[in-house]
Amino acid sequence: MPDPITAAAPVSYTVSIEVIPMSIVDAVPAVLLVERDQQHALPGGVLHAGEGLEAAVQRILGAQAPVTAAHLEQLYTFVDAPAGGGAASLTIAYVALVAAEGFAAPLKAHAALVLADVSVPWAGEAGGPVDVCTPGGEPLALVAGDAEILGQAMRRLRGKLDYSGVGFALLPERFTLRQLQDVHEAILGVRLNKPAFRRRMLDKGWLEATGERETGASFRPAELYRTRPVKGG
Amino acid sequence: MPDPITAAAPVSYTVSIEVIPMSIVDAVPAVLLVERDQQHALPGGVLHAGEGLEAAVQRILGAQAPVTAAHLEQLYTFVDAPAGGGAASLTIAYVALVAAEGFAAPLKAHAALVLADVSVPWAGEAGGPVDVCTPGGEPLALVAGDAEILGQAMRRLRGKLDYSGVGFALLPERFTLRQLQDVHEAILGVRLNKPAFRRRMLDKGWLEATGERETGASFRPAELYRTRPVKGG
DNA sequence: CGAATAGTGTCTCTGAGACATTATAGG
DNA sequence: CCTATAATGTCTCAGAGACACTATTCG
């Protein structure tokens, strides 16, 4: 027995998307933020008609922070606080994982883009305070709500890190085991044991040695690995 | 540089919610489905204006499958296939975990409600085919899309089971370790080792012995436990 | 050869599975 | 005293941390 009013005219929502373009820069988790009115916000925009969610994420990234996301992941959806005007609205948060080199070009091209280091303490499932600052260490003011989103994103990554391949999305196509370990340490915020980390990664069978080696180092060059194409799907 | 048309009139979406009322019945994962037109669907409805997401979930459950959910969890959001009419719409899927006894009353009260056993094979992250049938073993026809949602729900539960307390939401307030193990085995679809399971659970510190014992069994009664109130938040 | 890092061998410790043994209820 | 299940002790094995040692590149 539906209410006749809502049945005749179901409530309409404006649907926004917010994206967290995230990477590991200098062994620290970092995101791209857009500067607006002295504050810093995640890139975002409105979902168009007939547009897929991931397509919208790509469009918004292209317009505000043109990075190549190696992994897109939906985080969660929430209703926005009513904005006075009264139009109901909803936001869907996405995480976009990018290799570190992917941040340089957009930072040069878009003056409003800012690189921010993120630190999220381990506070169980609930999560503690999220700290965002410039690589220099100056704290940044975040738009209301974005700190919470960043915290959820970091916790999601931590949870998925060692049973899924999300870590690889933060690295270039060829990488050394040390780089992979740096990514894991940055996300987890913990130092890991080198031999144990190597064993675990190689035993998973996700990696393939290329036979090539790092160049440019003044010490023994590390072997380059790539993710192994999974056979059979 | 926003497009003037969409900026003036941002696209409106109708937002639906679908809920998976899930429990473990007779050591098997089970859900409540609504029968409609020879098919079976998850309970669902439209999000009202100014309504919170969890409030909407509770309202929809109350109307279609009145259970007491001990744990609500947002699963994911997707855009619906355009329904001819052209109105854009979006669905948010939720999981509602219920203690097994909570299914009896709504099944009696609502004729359209059906209890269905769910089986989701372990097929990595991608997931394999989802099988839904009556407790008797007869397969049920699901509305398009709902099988995928059920699969995601089961995989989410499997992932969270042993680092979070979700398992407790599927049990009454007081329960035996055997019941807890049955819940874990049902969700994971695997037999677990009894001494190891006991040790792990007790070591986590989430449990508290009540000193009371099971009644009615014709053998040694098991001790009843409850979840320990977490101190300090 | 020295510096710096890659990569490996080995010992130990912890946590889980396997299995057997003891404990306790009803009939 | 028999049966069924609870609860626990112990052995073994696998995975991870700690640590030291070897390997390789540049200057």
Side-chain angles (χ1 to χ4, degrees), chain B residues 96-189:
Chain B
L97 299 183
V98 181
E101 316 84 57
F103 273 6
L107 277 169
K108 268 189 205 153
H110 288 60
L113 274 185
V114 174
L115 181 69
D117 288 352
V118 180
S119 101
V120 177
W122 279 95
E125 266 223 83
V130 175
D131 187 50
V132 177
C133 62
T134 68
E138 294 161 38
L140 293 176
L142 271 187
V143 162
D146 280 8
E148 168 66 16
I149 298 178
L150 281 174
Q152 293 282 358
M154 281 298 296
R155 285 189 287 276
R156 172 79 62 93
L157 282 186
R158 281 176 186 160
K160 296 188 71 165
L161 191 58
D162 63 37
Y163 70 87
S164 79
V166 281
F168 304 128
L170 294 162
L171 289 170
E173 194 236 334
R174 286 159 189 239
F175 52 87
T176 67
L177 287 177
R178 161 60 63 187
Q179 287 178 295
L180 184 59
Q181 186 173 345
D182 283 343
V183 163
H184 281 237
E185 289 179 345
I187 292 179
L188 298 176

Side-chain angles (χ1 to χ4, degrees), chain A residues 6 10-15 46-53 74 76-79 88 90 92 125 156 160 163-164, chain B residues 6 10-15 46-53 74 76-79 88 90 92 125 156 160 163-164:
Chain A
T6 53
V11 183
S12 287
Y13 279 80
T14 301
V15 179
V46 172
L47 179 63
H48 291 177
E51 186 180 41
L53 291 177
Q74 190 183 103
Y76 66 104
T77 301
F78 55 95
V79 288
L90 201 88
I92 309 175
E125 267 223 84
R156 172 80 63 93
K160 297 189 70 164
Y163 71 88
S164 79
Chain B
T6 54
V11 182
S12 287
Y13 278 80
T14 300
V15 179
V46 172
L47 179 63
H48 291 176
E51 186 180 42
L53 291 177
Q74 192 184 103
Y76 66 103
T77 301
F78 55 95
V79 287
L90 203 88
I92 308 175
E125 266 223 83
R156 172 79 62 93
K160 296 188 71 165
Y163 70 87
S164 79

Side-chain angles (χ1 to χ4, degrees), chain A residues 173-192:
Chain A
E173 193 237 333
R174 288 161 186 237
F175 51 87
T176 67
L177 287 177
R178 162 58 63 186
Q179 287 178 295
L180 183 59
Q181 186 173 343
D182 283 342
V183 163
H184 281 236
E185 289 180 345
I187 291 178
L188 299 175
V190 171
R191 300 289 288 168
L192 299 173

Side-chain angles (χ1 to χ4, degrees), chain A:
Chain A
M1 200 181 301
D3 179 57
I5 297 177
T6 53
V11 183
S12 287
Y13 279 80
T14 301
V15 179
S16 302
I17 289 192
E18 268 187 52
V19 191
I20 308 178
M22 172 173 282
S23 189
I24 306 294
V25 178
D26 296 333
V28 173
V31 296
L32 291 181
L33 298 177
V34 180
E35 192 163 3
R36 276 202 290 255
D37 306 330
Q38 318 280 19
Q39 284 196 308
H40 295 83
L42 294 169
V46 172
L47 179 63
H48 291 177
E51 186 180 41
L53 291 177
E54 302 214 343
V57 171
Q58 298 286 10
R59 174 176 55 77
I60 288 164
L61 279 179
Q64 297 175 36
V67 295
T68 307
H71 179 80
L72 274 191
E73 178 161 340
Q74 190 183 103
L75 203 53
Y76 66 104
T77 301
F78 55 95
V79 288
D80 303 322
S89 80
L90 201 88
T91 298
I92 309 175
Y94 267 83
V95 182
L97 300 183
V98 181
E101 315 84 56
F103 273 7
L107 277 169
K108 270 188 202 153
H110 287 61
L113 275 185
V114 175
L115 181 70
D117 288 352
V118 180
S119 102
V120 177
W122 279 94
E125 267 223 84
V130 175
D131 187 51
V132 177
C133 62
T134 67
E138 294 162 38
L140 292 175
L142 270 189
V143 163
D146 280 8
E148 168 66 15
I149 298 178
L150 280 174
Q152 293 282 0
M154 281 297 297
R155 285 189 286 276
R156 172 80 63 93
L157 283 186
R158 280 176 187 162
K160 297 189 70 164
L161 192 57
D162 62 37
Y163 71 88
S164 79
V166 279
F168 305 128
L170 295 161
L171 289 169
E173 193 237 333
R174 288 161 186 237
F175 51 87
T176 67
L177 287 177
R178 162 58 63 186
Q179 287 178 295
L180 183 59
Q181 186 173 343
D182 283 342
V183 163
H184 281 236
E185 289 180 345
I187 291 178
L188 299 175
V190 171
R191 300 289 288 168
L192 299 173
N193 186 271
K194 185 168 71 157
F197 183 79
R198 293 177 62 89
R199 274 184 308 225
R200 247 187 328 130
M201 287 302 137
L202 295 175
D203 286 352
K204 281 186 203 287
W206 293 343
L207 293 179
E208 189 176 57
T210 63
E212 296 169 47
R213 320 216 141 232
E214 217 177 8
T215 59
S218 76
F219 43 79
R220 174 172 174 178
E223 176 147 27
L224 291 171
Y225 287 78
R226 67 171 157 245
T227 59
R228 182 167 20 192
V230 185
K231 58 186 170 189

